[in-house]
Amino acid sequence: MKQYLQHNEWLIIEEGWNPANQRISESNFSLGNGRFGQRANFEEDYTGDSLPGNYVAGIYYPDKTRVGWWKNGYPEYFAKVLNAANWIGIRIEIDGVALDLAHCEVRSFRRILHMQHGYLERSFVARMKSGQEVEVKAIRFCSIADDETGAIRYSLKALNFGAKLEITPYIDGDVVNQDANYDEKFWKEVAQHAGTDAGYVLAETKKTAFQVATAMKFGIYVDGKKVEANPYRLEKEKYASCTVQLDLEEGQTVVVEKFAGIVSSLNFEKDQLVGASQGAADRAYELGFDAMLQKQAQAWEAKWAEADIIIEGDVAAQQGIRFNIFQLYQTYTGEDERLNIGPKGFTGEKYGGSTYWDTEAYCLPFYLATADPHVARNLLIYRYKQLGKAIENAQKLGFKDGAALYPMVTMNGEECHNEWEITFEEIHRNGAIAYAIYDFIRYTGEKDYLVDYGLEVLIGIARFWAQRVHFSERKQQYVMHGVTGPNEYENNVNNNWYTNYIAIWCLRYAAEAVDYVKEKAPGKYEALTDRIKFHEYTETGHWKEIYSQMYLPYDEQLGIFVQQDGFLDKDLLTVDDLDASQRPINQKWSWDRILRSVFIKQADVLQGLYFFEDHFKEDAILRNFDFYEPRTVHESSLSPCVHVILASKLGKEEKAYEMYLRTARLDLDDYNNDTEDGCHITSMAGTWMSFVKGFGGLRVYNGRLHLRPFLPSNWTGYSFSIRFRGSFLNIRVNREEVSVKNNSEVVAALVLFGKELELPARGEIKNPLHHTK
């Protein structure tokens, strides 16, 4: 854990220069706007340790796998989110020497992420080897008001010298991915041009043939007066730059304002890309930096007005939740159903930037409660449109008759994960796809989704489960062998309790959906069954046989659900038995040792108890929590949030708060020693869940919003806002009471501390806090 960032309610502040933290800070100070984003790399040259990263949503490359591709059923590639053209570059040379903090004495350094208004600020004073001292101040942002544009204001002051200064704004598309399997460059040039105060690079991805145009336009000012110059223009492969030379006197300040336009062939015809990118850059230039920044601030203020969470009395906790919400909004806006939420968003290359089951299990609840319903709906449509690919994925593994296996990792619906224990065995992901449909309908009440889209997906998933299980003559029950549960520190196990349970639930829910659609829309039902050759009575009869006779491992003596067959034969140590020097075990131990150990990467059995807590009595949840949590090392970013929610339900305040800080500050404090690879974006949605479902006690049952909030002892109060079926509610909690205010014209159906209420439009109710557990 590294705690070098200052605590502040609205700012992320790095004070002082430590090159060892650069990659971590590049992740934490990242920017994005849903269309493109970037790591917090420097504008000027930096030859120290760094992970350059500029990313454009939906643009990827199918990188041929290094291992496993020759085996039957293995994907032939891993989809990589691509490092795209660097648009922030401003090379500075003073008397022919490049400004580079790796070769300077850094006298002061400050970097600030302004979350409230959505921009990054950096300032430093550096002494070059010549003794020349410069003061630099830089501000930049990716506009969410105009998501094709970005802007930089970069100022340099000569503190103790006069000199020849060369300023080179550039676009550099000759970039690499550090995670490329064969050290291949993924872009080829289409065109490039450098003008007097502008330039562009148009590049195309190999194999996938996406095109991205990146344009710039800039102005240079000395002491507020614009410099009229005839720059030296350089055009080379995937690169365009303009170099302006000037004489800078001691005490003078030069300012570069650089504007970028970034567009892709996802949204424009290829022959329109150059014009569109230039138009975006020109549009930003004409509006001006100050006006753009003002629009950026206004757009962010509007987002915070709907989604902010306020925590009183705990700055670390407050900063953490806002950082998580900020990064989520930077990553996904929900306006394009072709896009999804990569585990690293726009903050790094790891995991390929592809879609995982994280979206359905962790991200969907955030967007259900904080955005218009079409945003969450688009996340479901994304999977619906990839159903054909899910059926193909299943066919590659030998399944038939329309069985669908959704991918563990994908960009286009095709499986591209290439570790056998994940690709073939971590099939519980199918359950998360089905659960998301259920979760969406439960929250929104939009059961028409089942008619139009959901049933077809549910049938494909149910067909998969029906073929994946087999009947054990010895047990006289259905079983499932050779799986990996959410705890990836166990592979190729038999009868993972969570996988078996969610398979049962999927089969039952699919059968219920069949009955519903058949009754409500018989014409559409008949058309669907004819198209997918669904034999209702035969197939649903088989599903019922399976879900009524499925084996679920259980230990009578301990009164717990057993994670998988043989789990209790392990050496049942707890995390307290581990020496701190051995953590994290995924970086200190061999894989063989991890697999043989009892230690759990993330919630497994507890994941099922979180999803289906209304299926179990509280004492059963308690016994399982008390057994499994002490053996969980939380080395997946997705683990702490589930434990917060369950601990809150069980009245375990200390554990809930501990796990909340871990999830909220996972990247800010680099808990798992891996933030340098990028932030854990999808787990940030889990942080929101841990707050709202944990401390807020939010649930939805029978069309009503249930709330049972409690206040951690070291907080003096908190508040959060949610949307629910047309209403917009603000919930405030302090030491004395809970208030719920309806800031909409729609009556809200609530259950507060077990009491049913109808909250009228613009109405407010208050309830004493002592009703909490």
Side-chain angles (χ1 to χ4, degrees):
M1 194 162 70
K2 301 177 184 67
Q3 295 178 310
Y4 67 93
L5 300 175
Q6 295 181 10
H7 291 179
N8 184 286
E9 292 183 351
W10 278 110
L11 308 173
I12 309 299
I13 303 171
E14 179 183 11
E15 190 78 56
W17 172 240
N18 183 352
N21 293 330
Q22 175 65 359
R23 285 198 182 214
I24 300 170
S25 292
E26 287 176 343
S27 299
N28 280 325
F29 290 84
S30 293
L31 296 173
N33 63 8
R35 287 289 178 194
F36 65 90
Q38 61 188 193
R39 289 170 61 80
N41 308 125
F42 295 162
E43 291 86 0
E44 75 277 358
D45 289 2
Y46 182 65
T47 56
D49 187 36
S50 175
L51 175 61
N54 290 270
Y55 310 104
V56 180
I59 306 301
Y60 70 95
Y61 176 82
D63 199 11
K64 185 177 179 180
T65 57
R66 291 184 64 90
V67 294
W69 58 269
W70 58 88
K71 296 182 176 71
N72 289 337
Y74 260 55
E76 295 185 357
Y77 69 89
F78 189 78
K80 299 289 177 67
V81 64
L82 294 190
N83 185 15
N86 175 16
W87 66 270
I88 68 171
I90 302 173
R91 182 177 173 84
I92 303 292
E93 291 190 11
I94 300 170
D95 285 339
V97 178
L99 175 61
D100 179 348
L101 292 191
H103 299 288
C104 293
E105 177 190 344
V106 181
R107 295 289 185 89
S108 66
F109 181 92
R110 199 172 206 229
R111 179 160 31 191
I112 305 174
L113 183 63
H114 294 256
M115 296 184 290
Q116 188 171 17
H117 295 139
Y119 66 93
L120 174 63
E121 177 185 3
R122 181 171 61 102
S123 61
F124 64 84
V125 174
R127 182 182 178 88
M128 301 180 70
K129 290 182 178 179
S130 62
Q132 296 162 316
E133 291 189 7
V134 296
E135 180 182 40
V136 170
K137 296 179 181 179
I139 296 175
R140 75 170 184 254
F141 56 92
C142 302
S143 175
I144 63 170
D146 181 352
D147 64 9
E148 295 173 353
T149 63
I152 302 168
R153 173 177 282 161
Y154 188 95
S155 69
L156 181 148
K157 183 177 183 179
L159 294 180
N160 65 348
F161 67 93
K164 294 282 187 183
L165 184 68
E166 285 193 355
I167 302 171
T168 306
Y170 63 84
I171 303 291
D172 184 6
D174 192 21
V175 294
V176 298
N177 268 52
Q178 291 195 8
D179 67 350
N181 286 340
Y182 297 92
D183 298 324
E184 182 181 7
K185 290 185 176 180
F186 299 143
W187 295 94
K188 58 183 180 182
E189 181 187 276
V190 178
Q192 103 287 104
H193 174 72
T196 302
D197 59 355
Y200 69 81
V201 171
L202 177 63
E204 181 175 281
T205 59
K206 298 176 182 177
K207 295 186 181 179
T208 46
F210 294 113
Q211 287 190 4
V212 173
T214 306
M216 68 173 179
K217 190 172 179 67
F218 66 89
I220 298 177
Y221 310 83
V222 175
D223 290 343
K225 184 178 179 180
K226 187 173 183 180
V227 175
E228 302 296 339
N230 183 23
Y232 169 73
R233 291 167 284 179
L234 177 61
E235 300 171 356
K236 59 181 181 180
E237 185 182 7
K238 294 175 280 190
Y239 181 93
S241 69
C242 305
T243 299
V244 174
Q245 296 181 334
L246 52 87
D247 293 316
L248 190 66
E249 297 177 5
E250 182 176 343
Q252 283 189 318
T253 298
V254 59
V255 175
V256 184
E257 292 186 345
K258 182 180 180 183
F259 304 88
I262 301 168
V263 296
S264 79
S265 55
L266 284 178
N267 301 306
F268 292 90
E269 296 297 327
K270 291 181 178 179
D271 61 1
Q272 298 175 348
L273 285 172
V274 169
S277 66
Q278 289 177 315
D282 289 345
R283 187 166 69 240
Y285 180 86
E286 292 301 322
L287 183 59
F289 187 88
D290 290 330
M292 280 193 72
L293 185 58
Q294 183 180 15
K295 287 182 176 292
Q296 176 81 342
Q298 291 169 346
W300 270 106
E301 285 172 359
K303 287 185 178 293
W304 287 116
E306 291 210 344
D308 190 21
I309 290 177
I310 298 172
I311 299 173
E312 298 169 5
D314 190 337
V315 175
Q318 176 69 87
Q319 183 185 48
I321 192 67
R322 281 183 172 146
F323 177 71
N324 284 248
I325 293 169
F326 178 74
Q327 290 291 356
L328 284 165
Y329 274 131
Q330 289 199 127
T331 302
Y332 181 75
T333 64
E335 298 305 319
D336 189 336
E337 65 188 30
R338 298 168 299 175
L339 303 180
N340 209 279
I341 307 157
K344 296 295 182 186
F346 297 122
T347 72
E349 301 172 3
K350 194 174 181 181
Y351 303 125
S354 305
T355 305
Y356 286 63
W357 68 288
D358 306 15
T359 292
E360 286 72 25
Y362 300 94
C363 297
L364 182 69
F366 171 78
Y367 292 102
L368 277 173
T370 64
D372 188 85
H374 81 275
V375 173
R377 189 182 182 93
N378 277 348
L379 289 174
L380 300 189
I381 294 294
Y382 177 90
R383 294 292 194 177
Y384 172 78
K385 289 189 171 182
Q386 295 181 353
L387 177 59
K389 289 288 188 182
I391 292 171
E392 289 180 17
N393 294 334
Q395 289 172 343
K396 291 175 183 178
L397 302 186
F399 296 88
K400 57 187 180 180
D401 298 330
L405 176 59
Y406 276 89
M408 187 68 183
V409 181
T410 193
M411 274 289 197
N412 62 2
E414 187 175 20
E415 178 65 77
C416 65
H417 198 285
N418 42 64
E419 293 174 315
W420 65 269
E421 68 275 15
I422 307 299
T423 306
F424 298 156
E425 297 197 335
E426 200 165 341
I427 53 177
H428 68 81
R429 61 190 186 255
N430 246 18
I433 308 300
Y435 188 86
I437 295 171
Y438 165 77
D439 205 16
F440 174 81
I441 294 170
R442 175 176 60 176
Y443 198 90
T444 65
E446 295 182 21
K447 293 197 76 171
D448 285 349
Y449 186 83
L450 273 182
V451 176
D452 297 331
Y453 305 103
L455 178 59
E456 187 175 355
V457 172
L458 293 173
I459 289 173
I461 290 172
R463 284 171 160 176
F464 171 82
W465 291 123
Q467 295 176 43
R468 186 59 171 79
V469 303
H470 70 274
F471 190 76
S472 166
E473 292 292 342
R474 185 174 183 180
K475 290 186 184 306
Q476 286 295 295
Q477 288 179 289
Y478 283 92
V479 297
M480 200 177 328
H481 286 184
V483 303
T484 296
N487 172 26
E488 293 171 339
Y489 289 174
E490 302 272 6
N491 301 149
N492 199 37
V493 302
N494 296 336
N495 296 309
N496 171 258
W497 181 87
Y498 171 73
T499 305
N500 285 16
Y501 196 89
I502 205 165
I504 291 171
W505 177 85
C506 286
L507 292 167
R508 183 178 284 114
Y509 184 52
E512 292 171 358
V514 166
D515 290 342
Y516 176 82
V517 176
K518 183 180 178 182
E519 178 184 350
K520 295 295 183 181
K524 289 185 176 181
Y525 176 77
E526 184 177 350
L528 174 63
T529 56
D530 288 346
R531 177 165 57 83
I532 66 174
K533 297 179 174 57
F534 178 61
H535 305 288
E536 179 188 341
Y537 298 106
T538 302
E539 294 194 54
T540 59
H542 186 44
W543 299 350
K544 183 175 181 180
E545 180 184 348
I546 294 168
Y547 70 66
S548 62
Q549 299 182 65
M550 189 75 168
Y551 170 65
L552 292 167
Y554 181 78
D555 186 79
E556 294 284 352
Q557 183 178 353
L558 295 174
I560 63 169
F561 306 114
V562 182
Q563 185 174 275
Q564 76 263 349
D565 289 351
F567 183 80
L568 295 182
D569 294 329
K570 291 174 176 280
D571 187 3
L572 297 177
L573 302 172
T574 67
V575 175
D576 287 342
D577 296 316
L578 278 175
D579 189 278
S581 65
Q582 298 299 298
R583 305 279 303 277
I585 63 173
N586 62 14
Q587 297 175 24
K588 301 296 178 66
W589 287 9
S590 69
W591 196 244
D592 167 73
R593 186 179 180 188
I594 290 172
L595 291 175
R596 289 186 287 106
S597 80
V598 74
F599 298 116
I600 299 168
K601 181 183 181 185
Q602 69 188 82
D604 196 302
V605 169
L606 298 185
Q607 180 74 36
L609 298 182
Y610 156 64
F611 268 172
F612 305 110
E613 70 173 30
D614 56 321
H615 296 190
F616 305 99
K617 293 181 178 179
E618 191 167 308
D619 61 344
I621 298 174
L622 177 61
R623 286 194 301 274
N624 282 275
F625 188 93
D626 286 346
F627 180 82
Y628 286 109
E629 195 285 325
R631 294 172 171 85
T632 303
V633 290
H634 302 291
E635 290 175 8
S636 165
S637 64
L638 301 173
S639 185
C641 64
V642 172
H643 291 81
V644 175
I645 296 167
L646 292 177
S648 296
K649 176 183 177 62
L650 296 170
K652 294 177 176 286
E653 177 187 325
E654 185 176 343
K655 177 57 68 174
Y657 180 75
E658 173 199 339
M659 290 291 102
Y660 168 76
L661 277 188
R662 185 180 183 112
T663 184
R665 300 194 61 83
L666 182 77
D667 291 310
L668 292 176
D669 294 338
D670 196 19
Y671 265 88
N672 289 343
N673 196 33
D674 61 358
T675 302
E676 64 180 26
D677 298 322
C679 294
H680 299 80
I681 300 299
T682 49
S683 77
M684 291 177 172
T687 301
W688 179 92
M689 285 197 324
S690 71
F691 189 98
V692 173
K693 293 188 175 187
F695 303 135
L698 183 148
R699 305 289 190 274
V700 176
Y701 298 125
N702 301 319
R704 286 183 174 269
L705 187 75
H706 289 239
L707 294 166
R708 188 177 289 272
F710 84 93
L711 185 65
S713 59
N714 52 342
W715 296 355
T716 58
Y718 64 77
S719 68
F720 62 95
S721 297
I722 55 170
R723 295 172 180 244
F724 180 68
R725 301 194 178 189
S727 64
F728 181 57
L729 308 176
N730 180 257
I731 296 92
R732 294 181 178 274
V733 180
N734 59 37
R735 291 279 175 226
E736 288 74 38
E737 64 182 14
V738 176
S739 70
V740 184
K741 186 175 182 181
N742 187 351
N743 294 312
S744 73
E745 302 301 327
V746 177
V747 175
L750 302 180
V751 178
L752 182 60
F753 297 125
K755 181 180 179 180
E756 290 193 4
L757 301 164
E758 302 294 327
L759 183 57
R762 303 295 169 184
E764 183 175 10
I765 56 173
K766 297 183 179 181
N767 200 92
L769 189 63
H770 65 256
H771 286 271
T772 57
K773 243 177 125 158

